[in-house]
Amino acid sequence: MQIRWILGKGNVQKQAIAEFAALSQDNPLRSNALKLLTNLRANLQSSQNLDEEEKELLMELSPLYVQWKEDALQQGEQRGMQLMLESLLQVKFEKIDEHI
């Protein structure tokens, strides 16, 4: 699947967002594109004078922002659990082999 130019206007932009949203969770493009889209959303949100098209874009990007935030929290929780387990193993066994 090819993502159309996300910074286009009107239907081109709507199609690009729809194609992005349809990407699988493990698609390597998804994570990078999601970061860029959340930056675009933040920039739009900080603008004072949005036209109707920009307001609509902001609404379309909001669910993607929520998804990015949830993904980031989940990754943080997983990393925290990993660090906690490593710490517990180090306390119990003093030294842990790298392959473990």
Side-chain angles (χ1 to χ4, degrees), residues 24-57:
S24 66
Q25 292 287 352
D26 60 342
N27 188 311
L29 294 175
R30 185 176 185 79
S31 177
N32 291 335
L34 197 50
K35 288 176 191 174
L36 295 172
L37 288 172
T38 56
N39 286 339
L40 174 60
R41 180 190 173 273
N43 288 336
L44 284 172
Q45 197 168 25
S46 67
S47 274
Q48 297 293 335
N49 302 321
L50 296 177
D51 62 24
E52 287 304 312
E53 190 173 341
E54 291 169 328
K55 288 177 184 176
E56 187 177 327
L57 175 60

